[in-house]
Amino acid sequence: MGRARIRRERVLEHLTELRGLPLGGAPEPAFRERLRARLLSGELPAEEPEAAGQPRRRAARRRPLLSQLATVGLAAAMMVSAFATYQSVPGDSLYPLKRAAETTLVRLSSDDAERGERELDSAKTRAREVATLLGSSEGGPLVGKTLKDMEASTRSGISRLERAEPRSSKIKNFARDQKKVVGPMLKQLDDSQLAQAEGYLDYIDGLAAPH
């Protein structure tokens, strides 16, 4: 496996873990430890044994060591920024980056089944975002747009999965879990938003029904 592919797989793994975190939460200790280990593992060069009478070698080794430490610090800062991005909701300044990262995950998927699952993950994220917006005084028109995006991701993901894995249990599981999230929102929606949400629930009800 080439280095470029290894780096790509690591990026995908980090993005996937981050997007699974709850909105407004913090990284779990296990995730932080894995990230720290990956940043440090193999990054710092092993010191060569110092030859007697050659003190200059110590300074020569110190410069690349500092450079590597700076690289690790930068990588850690980038991961913190990525975490903040994945906690953003519609209306936040970082939200467009979050959506761009999701699109990248879908495009880098290896086949229709994987793409479909990731699009359904996006639909689940949109549902959680709607719940967050409804608890905020600034939700407003963003709720309707997020509901629309949720349905678009759902329909696209279902279409891909049905082509790749007909009668997949993943579809029924998704529909069942999504109903539990969207259903309780109904009483908080205005008339237009309520029509959107009820239409969505009607659609996924058909997906959850036995064939």
Side-chain angles (χ1 to χ4, degrees):
M1 182 182 294
R3 291 183 180 180
R5 184 175 177 184
I6 292 174
R7 286 196 297 269
R8 171 179 167 279
E9 292 298 326
R10 285 179 178 172
V11 169
L12 286 174
E13 184 178 349
H14 289 320
L15 289 174
T16 301
E17 286 190 81
L18 283 169
R19 75 181 296 175
L21 294 172
L23 293 174
E28 294 182 356
F31 174 77
R32 291 198 298 267
E33 286 303 315
R34 289 198 301 274
L35 174 58
R36 180 176 178 276
R38 288 167 184 166
L39 290 172
L40 295 176
S41 176
E43 292 291 331
L44 301 181
E47 294 191 4
E48 299 175 4
E50 184 176 347
Q54 295 185 0
R56 294 181 181 177
R57 296 181 63 184
R58 183 178 302 171
R61 288 197 305 272
R62 189 176 296 121
R63 284 193 295 272
L65 176 60
L66 291 175
S67 176
Q68 291 291 337
L69 286 172
T71 299
V72 170
L74 177 60
M78 290 175 66
M79 292 305 297
V80 170
S81 176
F83 171 73
T85 298
Y86 269 95
Q87 305 315 298
S88 63
V89 296
D92 290 346
S93 60
L94 290 175
Y95 188 70
L97 294 178
K98 175 181 180 177
R99 296 299 300 271
E102 288 182 358
T103 300
T104 299
L105 276 172
V106 172
R107 289 178 177 173
L108 291 177
S109 301
S110 58
D111 54 38
D112 260 357
E114 187 177 354
R115 287 191 177 196
E117 288 184 59
R118 284 180 170 160
E119 288 186 308
L120 294 185
D121 284 342
S122 292
K124 291 179 181 179
T125 300
R126 299 291 85 77
R128 293 195 297 269
E129 290 169 357
V130 170
T132 301
L133 289 171
L134 288 174
S136 166
S137 60
E138 302 176 358
L142 294 173
V143 172
K145 184 180 186 309
T146 307
L147 285 170
K148 182 178 179 181
D149 291 343
M150 176 182 71
E151 181 165 353
S153 293
T154 297
R155 290 183 180 276
S156 180
I158 294 299
S159 177
R160 291 184 187 278
L161 265 180
E162 285 180 335
R163 288 198 304 267
E165 301 177 7
R167 299 180 181 274
S168 172
S169 61
K170 297 172 186 174
I171 295 175
K172 290 184 180 181
N173 293 338
F174 164 81
R176 183 183 63 245
D177 294 342
Q178 196 76 335
K179 285 171 62 179
K180 293 177 182 178
V181 178
V182 177
M185 300 177 187
L186 298 181
K187 58 178 180 276
Q188 297 177 263
L189 302 174
D190 64 27
D191 290 344
S192 62
Q193 296 163 356
L194 181 61
Q196 282 182 277
E198 288 179 335
Y200 179 78
L201 288 173
D202 287 343
Y203 170 59
I204 62 175
D205 270 341
L207 301 174
H211 292 286

